[in-house]
Amino acid sequence: MKTIIFGEHEEDTIRQFHQCLQVGQVVGGALCADGHYGYSQPVGGVVVYDNQISPSGVGYDIACGNKAVKTDLLYTDIKDAMPKIMDEIQKNIIFGFGKKNPNPPDHALFDDDAWNVYKEIGKHEHDTLKALARTQLGTTGSGNHYVDILIDQKTDEVWVANHFGSRGLGHRTATGFLNLANGQDFSDRPKGEAMETPPTIFHLDSEFGSMYFEAMNLAGKYAYAGRDYVIDVVLHILQANSIDEVHNHHNFAWKETHFGNEYVVVRKGATPAFPGQRGFVGGSMGDISVILEGVHSSKSEEAFYSTVHGSGRIMSRTQAAGKMNWKTKKRRGGIISEKDMLMAVRDYGVELRGAGTDESPFVYRKLQEVLHAHEETINILHVLKPIGVLMATD
């Protein structure tokens, strides 16, 4: 079994990674330097299976990923207008858990025959999920999802980037197939789930495995469509054109050839990085982001051509922002104050909209540190500095 661990990690993260390697027909795995403890499989974890797939490994936010676009603008074109620009973006991009798009686009994706996979489960499930997906297309969710405006530190070229996945469609798909694996109905409310739940495994050629793989790929197309839509809205506000783009998932499973054999590579919070393949990796709201590309090396091979998807959390949401009182909708007891967060972001030169202290720069590693741990496996093509960040409110 081929495995590699980049960087330093907490004991729970290492233990969880090794536990994943013991379940199913695993041929190898990698733990990226931005890794941290997650549900069933650590974020930043890569597990490689022989003809099997793990819906718990892919996770609930199927096809979460990033899109970054280089525009035909320079920083001087927008510098003085940034407050107005960020107000306009906030007005036009919908953030938040369960939120819907008041003007959902009519996308060709909804004519895709792949939707029929849900009819195999039931007409109600098909109709409900497709209707939900229609209403949420172009919305961005909550948590660590964002829309950024950035500048290339060498050229002052303006980039636009975003980070989110397949919204309610992906979450309900993941929940539904995990329910089926546990002998429940697809639409049942799931039982209480623990972080230590062992990986759920389907054989790829089994009924559930083949259906999940098809549904996961549909959710991937949906996530791409959503990220495309949001970037187009921002480009319209900026009155800019796209002259280059980088777009990838980092919560997904791919059929890939490694060491002469075809395997299923499950990446949870890890970016594919084959030689020459580019990816956008975002840091915190007070740190750099980068465009990188994979390179060929023995370390790259051992990592199954995988790299980081971000800088990686070092502080939980509750620790940072406090425990949420759902009646008052306020948090208490967090160690990061809003004043500290806003001061740090302002000092870094970012025009911030939304975001809670649970997403402040203090809760993440420095991106350069995790990139350094992946030396010999990636090249950094562009270093980007955020000047505008939009996230959901707490």
Side-chain angles (χ1 to χ4, degrees):
M1 182 182 294
K2 296 182 181 296
T3 63
I4 187 170
I5 295 176
F6 295 92
E8 296 182 1
H9 301 273
E10 293 183 348
E11 186 179 322
D12 282 348
T13 307
I14 297 287
R15 177 176 47 76
Q16 189 176 52
F17 173 61
H18 286 300
Q19 285 175 347
C20 289
L21 301 179
Q22 306 306 312
V23 182
Q25 296 166 189
V26 177
V27 298
L31 182 60
C32 297
D34 61 334
H36 60 86
Y37 191 56
Y39 166 73
S40 183
Q41 179 172 319
V43 177
V46 180
V47 183
V48 184
Y49 298 93
D50 183 6
N51 200 40
Q52 291 181 328
I53 193 168
S54 172
S56 58
V58 173
Y60 289 99
D61 196 359
I62 297 174
C64 188
N66 298 98
K67 182 176 182 179
V69 164
K70 183 167 76 170
T71 75
D72 55 356
L73 299 177
L74 295 176
Y75 184 35
T76 52
D77 296 324
I78 63 171
K79 182 178 180 180
D80 295 337
M82 278 303 297
K84 183 179 177 182
I85 288 169
M86 292 306 297
D87 288 343
E88 194 67 17
I89 295 173
Q90 187 175 37
K91 192 185 303 180
N92 285 275
I93 303 296
I94 307 298
F95 276 83
F97 177 78
K99 292 293 181 69
K100 297 178 181 179
N101 191 338
N103 301 297
D106 185 17
H107 198 282
L109 176 65
F110 295 110
D111 297 323
D112 196 314
D113 289 341
W115 290 96
N116 291 334
V117 68
Y118 294 107
K119 287 185 178 178
E120 298 178 43
I121 298 166
K123 183 179 185 304
H124 171 74
E125 286 76 10
H126 168 273
D127 294 351
T128 300
L129 282 174
K130 196 170 185 179
L132 175 66
R134 283 184 185 276
T135 63
Q136 288 195 325
L137 185 61
T139 64
T140 51
S142 56
N144 63 352
H145 298 149
Y146 56 77
V147 173
D148 281 0
I149 298 178
L150 313 103
I151 54 170
D152 188 307
Q153 290 193 326
K154 286 187 176 179
T155 65
D156 267 1
E157 292 167 314
V158 175
W159 288 70
V160 176
N162 59 21
H163 169 223
F164 62 96
S166 52
R167 306 290 285 112
L169 170 67
H171 194 283
R172 293 195 187 184
T173 296
T175 301
F177 278 96
L178 290 172
N179 279 344
L180 293 175
N182 291 318
Q184 299 173 263
D185 289 337
F186 185 90
S187 298
D188 282 351
R189 182 180 293 275
K191 299 174 182 176
E193 294 166 320
M195 298 283 276
E196 290 290 322
T197 300
T200 297
I201 306 293
F202 293 143
H203 284 275
L204 205 56
D205 50 9
S206 68
E207 181 184 18
F208 288 164
S210 60
M211 288 171 64
Y212 173 77
F213 190 74
E214 191 171 352
M216 179 200 69
N217 276 286
L218 177 62
K221 294 179 185 178
Y222 180 81
Y224 264 86
R227 293 191 290 264
D228 287 343
Y229 172 90
V230 168
I231 291 290
D232 287 346
V233 170
V234 178
L235 291 175
H236 178 74
I237 291 169
L238 292 173
Q239 296 183 320
N241 297 304
S242 167
I243 58 176
D244 190 17
E245 65 178 55
V246 179
H247 201 171
N248 6 42
H249 303 316
H250 50 235
N251 284 5
F252 211 65
W254 292 262
K255 291 180 180 178
E256 296 174 358
T257 300
H258 295 274
F259 305 104
N261 297 298
E262 184 179 81
Y263 298 119
V264 178
V265 181
V266 175
R267 296 184 177 94
K268 174 179 273 188
T271 305
F274 283 86
Q277 183 178 16
R278 297 184 301 165
F280 169 74
V281 174
S284 74
M285 63 177 77
D287 195 8
I288 60 166
S289 296
V290 296
I291 306 293
L292 52 76
E293 70 173 357
V295 302
H296 178 71
S297 70
S298 58
K299 272 191 178 180
S300 301
E301 283 187 313
E302 288 180 66
F304 296 90
Y305 295 106
S306 308
T307 193
V308 298
H309 83 305
S311 50
R313 294 190 75 93
I314 54 174
M315 189 184 300
S316 73
R317 296 185 185 279
T318 300
Q319 187 181 1
K323 191 172 182 179
M324 175 67 85
N325 183 322
W326 292 105
K327 289 185 179 179
T328 64
K329 299 292 177 68
K330 293 184 182 297
R331 290 183 180 270
R332 296 185 62 183
I335 65 175
I336 307 299
S337 71
E338 186 176 12
K339 180 182 177 182
D340 288 342
M341 177 186 76
L342 295 177
M343 188 178 298
V345 173
R346 184 191 64 205
D347 289 347
Y348 197 66
V350 171
E351 191 75 29
L352 178 65
R353 297 292 182 274
T357 55
D358 56 330
E359 285 298 326
S360 67
F362 308 106
V363 308
Y364 287 97
R365 297 178 177 95
K366 288 293 184 182
L367 183 59
Q368 189 58 57
E369 294 175 7
V370 299
L371 294 173
H372 180 71
H374 283 257
E375 278 185 340
E376 301 177 39
T377 68
I378 53 173
N379 282 331
I380 307 302
L381 303 178
H382 301 276
V383 178
L384 308 176
K385 179 184 183 299
I387 58 171
V389 174
L390 172 62
M391 305 183 79
T393 52
D394 188 83

